[in-house]
Amino acid sequence: MTMPSRAVLIALPGLTLAVAGMFHPHSLSHASAPRWTMLHVAGLVVFPLVGLALAALVRQRRDPVAVVVVLTAYLYATAYSALDVISGIGAGYVTWRLGEGVPRPDEVRFLFVIGGRIGDVGSVALVVCAAVVAADALRRLGPVAAPGLLVVPGALLVHVGHIFAPTGVAGMALVGLATGYLGWCATDPRPEPRPTAS
């Protein structure tokens, strides 16, 4: 895989979620429930790919830094998928099925409470993963990695604003762009040396 195509592939999950966030309703009501639900059904496929993209930055490595990156990326992907299912798909579908004008019952609020708590675990894991990735890139690559450090404020914005516009949208865009940039930086363009005939 060429450098540009690998960088684009690694950046794509975050950028896709940033675009999706521009269409994410700011509140859940009967009217917004279909869009709310369908965005989270699609998100169920894409949210884990943000963690996979971060883990791809340490592929083929077995050092402690790589282990921390993979574990925190996995924790983010798992917990954020749970948030997506509970507060996104579950709460959205139930709100739609309740019908127009029906007050939100406590049961739907309970879904947001447990979904939010699990989501917080996932977003904190994303922040930790981003910080480790950024520090590792700076240590290994030096100043050229500096733009990739934006993955950290991006993750912090996601922790604060999920993918809601404008905060979460900006956060996911930064995560996607910075991850893609670090993927581009980490790719060695030099061809593998050919073995010499003895």
Side-chain angles (χ1 to χ4, degrees), residues 16-152:
T16 300
L17 288 171
V19 172
M22 291 189 283
F23 300 94
H24 195 304
H26 278 265
S27 61
L28 176 58
S29 64
H30 182 263
S32 66
R35 182 156 43 118
W36 179 286
T37 305
M38 291 313 298
L39 276 172
H40 287 92
V41 169
L44 189 57
V45 178
V46 186
F47 277 116
L49 296 179
V50 172
L52 186 62
L54 287 163
L57 296 175
V58 295
R59 66 189 178 95
Q60 299 177 344
R61 287 174 52 185
R62 300 293 180 267
D63 56 278
V65 168
V67 171
V68 171
V69 169
V70 170
L71 288 178
T72 53
Y74 173 75
L75 181 57
Y76 152 77
T78 303
Y80 234 68
S81 293
L83 165 69
D84 196 45
V85 169
I86 297 168
S87 297
I89 299 170
Y93 181 72
V94 170
T95 299
W96 176 72
R97 289 301 303 263
L98 285 171
E100 190 172 359
V102 176
R104 179 181 291 171
D106 286 338
E107 288 78 4
V108 173
R109 283 192 284 273
F110 296 157
L111 289 175
F112 279 113
V113 170
I114 187 61
R117 289 176 182 170
I118 297 172
D120 283 344
V121 171
S123 62
V124 168
L126 179 64
V127 171
V128 173
C129 185
V132 173
V133 161
D136 180 62
L138 196 60
R139 179 184 62 83
R140 289 183 307 103
L141 303 172
V144 72
L149 302 184
L150 290 173
V151 71
V152 178

Side-chain angles (χ1 to χ4, degrees), residues 25 34 99 169 174:
V169 167
L174 285 175

